[in-house]
Amino acid sequence: MTNTALVVGASGVVGAATAEVLSQAGWPVLGLARRPATQSGVAALAGDLLDPSSLREALAGAAPTHVFIATWLRQETEAENIRVNAAMVRNLFDALRASGSVRHVALVTGLKHYLGPFESYGKGTLPQTPFREDQGRLDVENFYYAQEDEVFAAAARDGFAWSVHRPHTIIGKAVGNAMNMGTTLAVYASICKTTGRPFRFPGSETQWRSLTDMTDARLLARHMLWATETPAAANQDFNVVNGDVFRWSWMWERIAAWFELEAEPFDGVVRPLEEQMADDATVWRDIAARRGLAEPDLGRLASPWHTDADLGRPIEVVTDMSKSRRMGFALYQPTDDAFYALFERLRSDRLIL
């Protein structure tokens, strides 16, 4: 049987990378999003996961064999995150059930599985690092758990296999994405370079000095493809990171050098980007107009709140990949190179300086 992929959230950081990887591998790819972007090799479907009639219309006639879920909607409270994001996954499977074609579903969540939701992020009693899949769930409500439960229930009902993929902070290109550290730092560096402001690390001393890791969106996409093609990976949950570890005291200098900036020495004071960039919407609009940049809306490029959540954590966060390695997934991506590749793409597309 010919494989056909449905990428849910195809306009986001993970979805766009996944659609690209699958298309390059020769798969027919359907890309579902509320506002689909044009992407080579991807048939765009416009549908709202919170509107069942919209989904039925978007998916009418579609018969995907593999579904890749890489989307969520942020709400004001975790209770609302659970209600809304669980409904999105549930509505998707209700719309797909009639086709009876689905054989594997890959769900992207993340390390909030171990760190807790935004309301209690990195607080209380947490598992020891490096995080391992067998550590299980925290005793706290979490929309990632709700998404998983919807996948498990649909799999039991409709007879497909599943895999869950938990990346650390993702490096990848998308405009209008809610969680996008790489582009946020690139925009921040561009502003610092243009205005002469100091390029200051915004996070905690723990993050500055401790080990951490990250996940390239392209590697995550290849991990999901690997899981669909590896029988032993069926019905399993996986951590997914690049394979290297670093300290921000090292990475910050490398990012500064790429932008030809001098990194201001870190003095131990947390200076959140949300505060540093609070008045930068007008600054960025002026820079975009003067330098001919493609996106003048700072809010569509930068997500300071999310970058602050990651860089301000008071604990070391590293991730174990042994489960995937033992099953044969051997890809590796140096994280500094992942940043550089993203910056090159953003500059090529006239999104940063």
Side-chain angles (χ1 to χ4, degrees), residues 8-78:
V8 183
S11 60
V13 170
V14 176
T18 302
E20 181 180 2
V21 165
L22 291 168
S23 178
Q24 290 174 349
W27 288 48
V29 180
L30 309 172
L32 178 69
R34 282 181 297 167
R35 293 179 292 275
T38 301
Q39 190 172 2
S40 176
V42 179
L45 304 177
D48 187 341
L49 291 170
L50 289 173
D51 182 348
S53 62
S54 166
L55 272 183
R56 286 195 298 271
E57 181 177 348
L59 296 172
T65 57
H66 295 70
V67 180
F68 302 82
I69 304 174
T71 189
W72 71 288
L73 284 176
R74 188 187 183 200
Q75 306 299 310
E76 290 297 321
T77 66
E78 191 59 19

Side-chain angles (χ1 to χ4, degrees), residues 166-210:
R166 298 177 188 138
H168 198 166
T169 305
I170 297 169
I171 303 171
K173 179 181 177 291
V175 175
N177 191 262
M179 300 192 297
N180 198 336
M181 180 190 284
T183 304
T184 299
L185 293 181
V187 168
Y188 173 61
S190 296
I191 290 173
C192 290
K193 186 172 183 177
T194 304
T195 63
R197 280 161 38 182
F199 187 62
R200 290 171 169 161
F201 180 71
S204 68
E205 186 165 2
T206 300
Q207 289 304 303
W208 181 254
R209 300 189 185 283
S210 299

Side-chain angles (χ1 to χ4, degrees), residues 3-314:
N3 293 332
T4 299
L6 173 65
V7 178
V8 183
S11 60
V13 170
V14 176
T18 302
E20 181 180 2
V21 165
L22 291 168
S23 178
Q24 290 174 349
W27 288 48
V29 180
L30 309 172
L32 178 69
R34 282 181 297 167
R35 293 179 292 275
T38 301
Q39 190 172 2
S40 176
V42 179
L45 304 177
D48 187 341
L49 291 170
L50 289 173
D51 182 348
S53 62
S54 166
L55 272 183
R56 286 195 298 271
E57 181 177 348
L59 296 172
T65 57
H66 295 70
V67 180
F68 302 82
I69 304 174
T71 189
W72 71 288
L73 284 176
R74 188 187 183 200
Q75 306 299 310
E76 290 297 321
T77 66
E78 191 59 19
E80 278 298 289
N81 276 333
I82 291 168
R83 184 185 69 81
V84 168
N85 289 282
M88 289 164 60
V89 177
R90 186 166 58 251
N91 291 342
L92 172 68
F93 290 126
D94 286 347
L96 287 171
R97 190 179 189 189
S99 72
S101 60
V102 178
R103 303 203 306 267
H104 189 110
V105 171
L107 171 69
V108 178
T109 61
L111 293 196
K112 284 188 290 296
H113 182 94
Y114 308 105
L115 287 162
F118 290 118
E119 291 178 3
S120 57
Y121 192 60
K123 300 175 183 177
T125 302
L126 297 170
Q128 289 186 337
T129 58
F131 294 139
R132 293 182 170 88
E133 295 90 346
D134 61 7
Q135 289 169 314
R137 295 179 174 183
L138 299 173
D139 187 19
V140 61
E141 295 296 313
N142 189 320
F143 81 89
Y144 281 167
Y145 305 162
Q147 287 182 310
E148 287 182 346
D149 288 343
E150 293 294 340
V151 171
F152 301 158
R157 180 190 71 189
D158 298 335
F160 57 75
W162 55 265
S163 55
V164 174
H165 305 260
R166 298 177 188 138
H168 198 166
T169 305
I170 297 169
I171 303 171
K173 179 181 177 291
V175 175
N177 191 262
M179 300 192 297
N180 198 336
M181 180 190 284
T183 304
T184 299
L185 293 181
V187 168
Y188 173 61
S190 296
I191 290 173
C192 290
K193 186 172 183 177
T194 304
T195 63
R197 280 161 38 182
F199 187 62
R200 290 171 169 161
F201 180 71
S204 68
E205 186 165 2
T206 300
Q207 289 304 303
W208 181 254
R209 300 189 185 283
S210 299
L211 292 173
T212 192
D213 48 29
M214 293 184 73
T215 306
D216 187 294
R218 299 163 301 176
L219 182 138
L220 173 57
R222 293 182 180 105
H223 190 271
M224 287 192 282
L225 176 56
W226 163 82
T228 69
E229 297 176 336
T230 303
N235 305 327
Q236 297 289 329
D237 52 356
F238 297 102
N239 296 329
V240 190
V241 286
N242 288 337
D244 63 344
V245 294
F246 63 90
R247 304 180 200 277
W248 275 105
S249 56
W250 177 81
M251 186 66 76
W252 197 252
E253 293 281 351
R254 296 181 72 77
I255 292 174
W258 196 92
F259 285 95
E260 300 179 320
L261 289 166
E262 290 290 333
E264 182 171 279
F266 181 60
D267 61 4
V269 177
V270 177
R271 296 182 174 88
L273 283 180
E274 201 160 24
E275 295 178 7
Q276 292 193 54
M277 301 178 72
D279 300 319
D280 281 345
T282 301
V283 173
W284 185 254
R285 191 170 295 277
D286 289 344
I287 292 172
R290 285 189 287 109
R291 303 295 293 273
L293 299 183
E295 180 52 73
D297 185 350
L298 181 67
R300 285 180 51 77
L301 294 174
S303 52
W305 68 272
H306 177 256
T307 300
D308 287 339
D310 280 0
L311 297 184
R313 290 183 297 217

